[in-house]
Every structure is written in structure tokens, then in C-alpha cells.
Amino acid sequence: MRYKNFVFDFGNVLATFDGDSLLSHFCNNKEDRSLLLTALFENWQAIDEGSISYQDYIEQALSHTPVRLHETVHAFFKDWYRYLDPITQTWDFIHELKAAGHSVYLLSNAPVYFAEHAAEVYDILSEFDGILFSAPVLLAKPQPEFYQLLFRKWNLDPKTCFFLDDKPENIEGAKKVGMDGIVFTGDIDAVKAIIQ
């Protein structure tokens, strides 16, 4: 295998991240869910980047929702991180990589709140040699500085790393700083074919 280190995104690589699916755990009404989908997710990038605090983002979302849904909004922001469905084939792949002596790292755009709580729910995170979430460091993919922070923090040569992310722009960003990768679609066999 030509790569020593494997870098993973979280959403849609380690576990599914889908707004409507997440909201279904908090709201049964389809029309309300549609309204909430816009109010809660339209500026999600801002909490991923850390350019707005989690609490301020909640207040912003509340200002775009009717009062009757405020309790739902609060419940969502308290517990949404518990409802990302594990992508078990990726977890199995990580176990295989670790057993073969490879190192695994996480590079994920995520709010501070998720960074603080994810390990409570997703056991796979204990397998990682290093974890870097975006909001706590005020950087996010595809900014080159975010990838470079990963390399610096764990003394990694980008040429020895392979990156899995569900967004083409993030893979493109990785390649610009010298790290190879693939847009992950759920097909671990496709990943294995490339890394040999």
C-alpha cells in the first residue's frame, strides 16, 4: 500500500449527515420540517467555520422560526449530534487500516459543540491518531491552512496521506496542498482499489 496515513472526513464518510433525516427525530410534521430545514441549515457553514458562536447561531435560527417551533429548535441543537447513522463499512475499513499498522486522522468541518460531544456517541473516534475539527481552530475545508495545520500538528508528509471526503471541493483542496484523495460515495471497494 503506497500510503501510510489515512485522513477521514466525518459527515457522510464516518456517519451520515442529512438535515431532513436529522430533523425527523425532532419533528414529525413534514411542512414544519421543511421550514426548519431552511432556518436551521441555511448558514451551517458559519458554525462549522466558527465565525459565529453556537449560541448565537441558535438565536439566529430561532429568529427565523415561529414561536410554536422554538422548543423543537432547542431540542434539536441540544441533541442532533446523537443521530448521525454510522457508516459501518468505513468503520470496518478503519479497523483494517489500524490492524495493518497505518495511522488514521480525522479532518472535519464541524461546530465546536459537535467537537466537544462526538466522542460520547461515536466509539470509532477512539481509533484515531489525531482529530481536528474546524470550528475550534477557526479554519475549515477547503482552506489550505486547515489541511496544513493537520500536517504540522502531527508532523505528516502530505505525500504519505490519503484523504476521504464526500465533497469534491474538499478533495480538490487537499490535492492543492499535496495530499491525494477520493470523493467518497460509500464505496469502500473503490477506495481500496485506488490505494493499492
Side-chain angles (χ1 to χ4, degrees), residues 80-174:
W80 68 269
Y81 69 92
R82 299 179 179 278
Y83 297 102
L84 307 180
D85 294 324
I87 299 173
T88 54
Q89 60 266 40
T90 307
W91 290 34
D92 291 342
F93 180 50
I94 289 165
H95 291 305
E96 288 172 24
L97 290 170
K98 292 294 288 183
H102 298 288
S103 296
V104 294
Y105 297 88
L106 184 77
L107 187 72
S108 178
N109 286 358
V112 169
Y113 189 74
F114 185 79
E116 292 171 345
H117 293 285
E120 299 167 13
V121 183
Y122 306 99
D123 297 342
I124 194 65
L125 293 180
S126 65
E127 296 287 334
F128 282 79
D129 297 277
I131 293 174
L132 198 55
F133 286 112
S134 58
V137 297
L138 303 178
L139 292 168
K141 295 172 292 185
Q143 291 174 277
E145 295 84 1
F146 192 37
Y147 303 96
Q148 287 159 352
L149 179 59
L150 172 82
F151 304 145
R152 249 191 347 268
K153 196 171 172 66
W154 286 285
N155 196 27
L156 303 174
D157 178 350
K159 292 185 182 68
T160 68
C161 301
F162 190 86
F163 184 41
L164 281 74
D165 194 288
D166 66 316
K167 295 188 175 171
E169 62 268 28
N170 294 340
I171 294 298
E172 190 58 38

Side-chain angles (χ1 to χ4, degrees), residues 32-44:
D32 284 347
R33 210 154 66 228
S34 178
L35 188 155
L36 287 166
L37 198 60
T38 301
L40 273 53
F41 290 101
E42 68 178 347
N43 196 26
W44 194 269

Side-chain angles (χ1 to χ4, degrees), residues 57-68:
Y57 190 82
I58 294 171
E59 294 302 322
Q60 191 180 85
L62 288 168
S63 74
H64 291 99
T65 53
V67 173
R68 64 184 175 79

